[in-house]
Amino acid sequence: MTIFTDFTTFGAFRRVGVPVAIAVSALSLAACSGSGADAAPTATVTVTAPPSPSEEPSSEATPDASPSASESAAGGVFDDPADDDWPPITDKTPPVFGEQFQADPGHDFTKGISPSRDGVIRAELRTMQDANVAEYVPIKFVKDPSTGQGRFEGPPEGNVMAFAAPVAKNAVFLSAIGCDGKDQTINNQYVGTQSCSRDTLISRAVKGGLYALVTVKNHQIAKVVEIYAP
């Protein structure tokens, strides 16, 4: 095996760990200290230091930030994952005494109150925002194990899960207590059968506590079938 040894002055500097830039400066000074004509001609050496590891370009591109789990693939729409296991609102009538809220997938509740998707939602009409727009929230039936009875509940206080939609001019309202509120007009499913006017519906909605199966069509409330809940 052949060993190549660098016995030059520059090699000596390298063996003791002197940085390249200092070594070059030292050699240049030594050359300039020579006298008169006996001085050896000097050579100008330009040394370019290699980039430090921190300056080297990365071979891997920095990945973009992953989208938040609370954003849907539809383009940044907030979709609370809490409703992932709830049955969605569809055009099918939900169970009158269902024990889960219904979900409205993709509905962004952070961008103000707006209509639920078209379909039938079990809801409470809480108030009228103006002469034509009703505010409503999804409801579920909660049983009392000790009595076997139960009651309807909406989202907890402070929850933003609420909707609002105009009441269609030809909206159908089937009351469970008659149009004057003094009768019991229901079928064996405990839902209303008495057809009443739109004005009656609005007067009931203003007071709140109107539990019903609400049909939304073209972003308007088209039908309200009251659930008997004395």
Side-chain angles (χ1 to χ4, degrees):
M1 177 175 64
T2 303
I3 300 176
F4 293 94
T5 306
D6 186 355
F7 291 102
T8 64
T9 302
F10 196 89
F13 276 121
R14 289 197 327 182
R15 287 193 298 274
V16 296
V18 176
V20 173
I22 296 176
V24 171
S25 299
L27 290 173
S28 298
L29 288 173
C32 291
S33 63
S35 60
D38 294 334
T42 62
T44 301
V45 179
T46 301
V47 177
T48 302
S52 65
S54 61
E55 296 173 340
E56 293 181 0
S58 173
S59 60
E60 296 182 0
T62 302
D64 294 334
S66 300
S68 169
S70 63
E71 292 181 351
S72 73
V77 175
F78 178 83
D79 186 13
D80 192 340
D83 65 0
D84 287 350
D85 295 329
W86 299 345
I89 299 169
T90 68
D91 58 357
K92 295 181 179 179
T93 301
V96 175
F97 297 98
E99 298 179 8
Q100 285 183 302
F101 292 125
Q102 290 166 266
D104 189 354
H107 190 103
D108 192 345
F109 293 97
T110 68
K111 293 185 176 180
I113 192 166
S114 59
S116 55
R117 63 169 51 197
D118 283 6
V120 185
I121 177 173
R122 187 181 52 254
E124 176 195 356
L125 276 69
R126 282 189 168 177
T127 189
M128 294 293 296
Q129 290 192 343
D130 57 35
N132 295 299
V133 178
E135 182 176 322
Y136 56 104
V137 296
I139 57 173
K140 63 181 178 179
F141 192 72
V142 180
K143 290 182 179 179
D144 183 344
S146 62
T147 64
Q149 303 298 313
R151 67 188 183 280
F152 285 110
E153 288 186 358
E157 186 175 352
N159 191 293
V160 297
M161 188 167 55
F163 306 101
V167 178
K169 294 190 179 299
N170 60 345
V172 174
F173 175 40
L174 299 180
S175 172
I177 56 175
C179 297
D180 58 6
K182 298 178 180 180
D183 298 321
Q184 186 182 91
T185 50
I186 59 175
N187 61 17
N188 60 0
Q189 298 295 315
Y190 294 92
V191 296
T193 58
Q194 178 66 56
S195 179
C196 302
S197 68
R198 179 179 184 272
D199 288 343
T200 302
L201 168 60
I202 290 174
S203 67
R204 294 281 308 280
V206 167
K207 299 173 184 177
L210 177 54
Y211 304 110
L213 301 174
V214 179
T215 300
V216 176
K217 186 175 182 180
N218 297 326
H219 309 296
Q220 294 186 326
I221 294 175
K223 186 177 182 179
V224 175
V225 181
E226 184 178 9
I227 302 171
Y228 187 68

